[in-house]
């Protein structure tokens, strides 16, 4: 893996796994990256700054306030913004091992050491590799804190199962340096071709309520839309994801809005479509909604059968096509027969820039699967893609979006 020209800031906190960071620093150096190491004062009890300085070929910073006596005159002017300089220098900040304490301080915004001050002044992606005892890792407060860091946009590398420093076996062991290195390399080499773009994605099913406790819906799990949101965010876009009810984790750094009904999705799309460069409607919006909605539970006593009237719900995609202002519009078509012809009709009638056709009858395509088989159709071309993961499909859709005129 080539990392020449990349600048990696490695932050070490006070956990037993700190000794493994020597191997991690070596991996970065061997790949050609430039490495600087910062440590919390307690990390020094677990691994020597002298070793890390030799491996990184740079001074290791531990204290928030530098020893001004040891600085050259030219450096003295910088002392008040020292941590800021480190934060701004880095292309990636890797904190490993990240202790329960440092994670909690980061969530609370506490900056009482150099590492935390650098964290709050950096503008680069942050990769956090927690390591602690299993009970600490599973504690609800730690779970909440890790979730909060993930929602901030920091990438978390889940710890592994294995032998822990306490002598117990369980979850909480820091990921091996090779795994941390791979995740770091992925971030450093990621394409940032959507930087500055604002993307709106919809995902999941909607529920149309017949009464207080019953609804009609469809089997969409939201996977395709979530992968589009994740891929766009990783490629540098600022992403808003409007989703129906699904049980998926929000991709790092994505702004998520939960809705339930097609009407709520419509209203949310309308209030979030401003200033967007791209809107992707991958939600499986229910086409029909009950004509009459009761706010109470319908009782079955005395009735042998029930008849409900349904009306068409608003076609959100058509609305976006009609009111188009400045954004490219991508829709999906789920078709079991005459796919290409039907999808092309939708492309024109809904005024889309591209439509993604898939057939749920095909093995490895459609609702709930991790893979999909799609055909990308725009005004000039159609391209059938082989079976691939939904994340890969998401990236192919985004590649094609960048080529749209
Ligand atoms: N869509 C929408 N609003 C609806 C229904 C669908 O925005 N009320 C969007 C979907 O998100 C998808 C596209 O329209 O991007 C096509 O959905 P699909 O179900 O394939 O087609 P429909 O237009 O609903 O037509 P039909 O069901 O008759 O094929």
């Amino acid at each position: 893996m080539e990392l020449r020209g990349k600048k990696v800031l490695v932050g070490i906190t006070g956990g037993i796994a700190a000794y493994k960071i020597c191997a991690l620093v070596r991996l970065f150096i061997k790949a050609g990256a430039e490495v600087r190491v910062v440590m919390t004062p307690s990390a020094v009890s677990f691994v020597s700054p002298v070793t890390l300085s030799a491996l990184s070929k740079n001074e290791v910073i531990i204290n928030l306030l530098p020893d001004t006596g040891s600085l050259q005159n030219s450096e003295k002017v910088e002392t008040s913004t020292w941590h800021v300089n480190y934060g701004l220098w880095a292309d990636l900040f890797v904190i490993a091992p990240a202790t329960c304490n440092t994670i909690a301080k980061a969530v609370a915004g506490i900056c009482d050491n150099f590492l935390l001050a650098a964290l709050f002044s950096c503008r680069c992606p942050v990769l956090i590799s927690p390591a602690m005892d299993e009970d600490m890792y599973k504690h609800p407060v730690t779970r909440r804190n890790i979730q909060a860091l993930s929602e901030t946009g920091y990438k978390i590398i889940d710890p592994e199962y294995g032998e822990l420093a306490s002598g117990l076996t369980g979850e909480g062991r820091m990921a091996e340096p090779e795994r941390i290195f791979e995740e770091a390399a992925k971030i450093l080499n990621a394409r940032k071709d959507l930087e500055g773009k604002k993307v709106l994605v919809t995902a999941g099913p909607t529920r149309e309520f017949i009464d207080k406790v019953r609804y009609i819906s469809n089997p969409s799990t939201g996977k395709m839309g979530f992968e589009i949101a994740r891929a766009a965010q990783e490629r540098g876009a600022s992403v808003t994801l409007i989703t129906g009810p699904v049980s998926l984790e929000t991709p790092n750094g994505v702004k998520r809005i939960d809705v339930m009904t097609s009407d709520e999705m419509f209203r949310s799309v309308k209030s979030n479509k401003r200033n967007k460069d791209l809107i992707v409607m991958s939600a499986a919006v229910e086409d029909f909604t009950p004509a009459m909605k009761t706010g109470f539970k319908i009782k079955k006593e005395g009735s042998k059968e029930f008849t409900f009237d349904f009306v068409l719900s608003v076609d959100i995609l058509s609305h976006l096509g009609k009111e188009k202002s400045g954004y490219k519009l991508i829709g999906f078509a789920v078709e079991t027969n005459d796919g290409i012809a039907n999808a092309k009709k939708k492309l024109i009638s809904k005024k889309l820039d591209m439509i993604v056709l898939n057939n749920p009858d095909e093995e490895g395509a459609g609702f709930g699967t991790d893979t999909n088989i799609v055909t990308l159709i725009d005004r000039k071309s159609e391209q059938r893609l082989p079976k691939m993961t939904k994340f890969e499909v998401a990236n192919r859709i985004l590649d094609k979006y960048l080529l749209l005129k």
Side-chain angles (χ1 to χ4, degrees):
M1 201 91 64
E2 174 70 42
L3 293 181
R4 211 158 295 280
K6 307 285 184 197
K7 301 186 187 105
V8 184
L9 185 58
V10 175
I12 309 176
T13 74
I16 187 79
Y19 79 92
K20 292 189 181 177
I21 304 308
C22 296
L24 179 65
V25 169
R26 264 181 61 80
L27 287 169
F28 283 129
I29 295 285
K30 268 174 73 180
E34 218 184 305
V35 179
R36 290 187 188 179
V37 176
V38 299
M39 298 171 79
T40 59
S42 64
V44 177
S45 310
F46 297 93
V47 62
S48 160
V50 179
T51 313
L52 287 154
S53 175
L55 290 172
S56 67
K57 305 183 178 77
N58 270 311
E59 184 192 6
V60 172
I61 312 286
I62 301 153
N63 297 316
L64 192 52
L65 298 173
D67 169 11
T68 46
S70 71
L71 293 172
Q72 303 298 316
N73 273 343
S74 59
E75 289 172 316
K76 279 188 178 159
V77 289
E78 292 188 60
T79 54
S80 64
T81 54
W82 213 24
H83 57 274
V84 178
N85 292 346
Y86 261 61
L88 296 182
W89 168 84
D91 294 322
L92 175 69
F93 191 3
V94 182
I95 303 183
T99 56
C100 189
N101 186 42
T102 290
I103 288 170
K105 282 184 185 176
V107 172
I110 295 170
C111 292
D112 62 354
N113 61 41
F114 188 93
L115 186 148
L116 287 161
L119 174 66
F120 284 107
S121 53
C122 78
R123 293 185 190 163
C124 61
V126 176
L127 185 58
I128 295 190
S129 183
M132 62 199 78
D133 207 50
E134 182 173 56
D135 293 317
M136 293 169 94
Y137 178 62
K138 293 209 162 148
H139 194 285
V141 172
T142 312
R143 305 304 316 143
R144 276 205 302 275
N145 285 342
I146 291 178
Q147 181 62 26
L149 291 186
S150 163
E151 281 167 17
T152 304
Y154 298 166
K155 169 99 185 148
I156 311 291
I157 306 184
D158 291 335
E160 293 170 0
Y161 184 90
E163 214 179 290
L164 301 166
S166 57
L168 301 171
T169 300
E171 237 179 300
R173 201 181 142 95
M174 189 184 78
E176 289 304 321
E178 290 74 15
R179 216 180 113 210
I180 301 175
F181 173 77
E182 267 171 37
E183 287 295 333
K186 248 193 252 166
I187 296 173
L188 286 164
N189 288 330
R191 283 176 288 180
K192 290 288 173 202
D193 49 6
L194 291 177
E195 203 138 311
K197 300 276 186 213
K198 294 191 176 65
V199 177
L200 176 64
V201 182
T202 66
T206 63
R207 288 181 186 171
E208 311 302 317
F209 284 84
I210 294 163
D211 70 5
K212 191 83 186 166
V213 294
R214 302 177 181 96
Y215 58 80
I216 59 161
S217 190
N218 58 66
S220 166
T221 56
K223 270 185 195 158
M224 192 63 246
F226 273 60
E227 291 299 62
I228 295 170
R230 182 157 76 94
Q233 198 277 339
E234 286 184 4
R235 288 168 72 163
S238 131
V239 183
T240 305
L241 172 65
I242 301 174
T243 178
V246 296
S247 52
L248 294 173
E249 273 189 34
T250 313
N252 270 330
V254 165
K255 179 182 168 198
R256 169 175 175 166
I257 300 168
D258 286 285
V259 296
M260 191 63 84
T261 64
S262 58
D263 189 49
E264 281 172 23
M265 185 168 280
F266 180 46
R267 279 187 277 135
S268 183
V269 166
K270 271 200 297 186
S271 55
N272 283 284
K273 69 177 185 183
R274 267 195 52 216
N275 301 329
K276 293 293 179 288
D277 298 288
L278 169 65
I279 303 182
V280 186
M281 277 296 303
S282 60
V285 186
E286 266 303 320
D287 287 322
F288 305 101
T289 192
M292 293 279 289
K293 295 174 177 53
T294 67
F296 52 86
K297 183 184 169 195
I298 298 169
K299 301 294 286 177
K300 63 176 187 283
E301 277 111 40
S303 310
K304 282 221 170 80
E305 58 183 47
F306 281 99
T307 314
F308 297 101
D309 288 329
F310 288 89
V311 291
L312 278 177
S313 52
V314 181
D315 189 323
I316 305 172
L317 192 57
S318 293
H319 167 86
L320 290 169
K322 249 184 249 144
E323 308 262 303
K324 216 174 198 183
S325 57
Y327 50 78
K328 294 278 184 240
L329 185 57
I330 301 180
F332 273 71
V334 177
E335 306 287 348
T336 49
N337 299 304
D338 296 326
I340 300 275
N342 283 326
K344 280 185 173 166
K345 257 190 241 160
K346 282 181 192 167
L347 177 80
I348 306 296
S349 67
K350 298 194 187 196
K351 299 191 169 62
L352 311 181
D353 296 286
M354 193 204 307
I355 192 154
V356 183
L357 165 68
N358 63 127
N359 177 353
D361 283 347
E362 280 192 277
E363 173 88 32
F367 295 127
T369 52
D370 286 327
T371 55
N372 211 350
I373 304 166
V374 303
T375 305
L376 306 183
I377 305 171
D378 64 15
R379 304 274 167 149
K380 292 195 201 105
S381 62
E382 58 185 69
Q383 180 187 18
R384 184 177 157 90
L385 302 176
K387 181 158 93 176
M388 52 179 76
T389 64
K390 286 187 170 169
F391 185 64
E392 283 172 293
V393 171
N395 274 305
R396 299 294 281 268
I397 293 170
L398 295 171
D399 289 345
K400 205 165 170 77
Y401 153 69
L402 285 170
L403 298 173
L404 289 172
K405 289 277 168 336

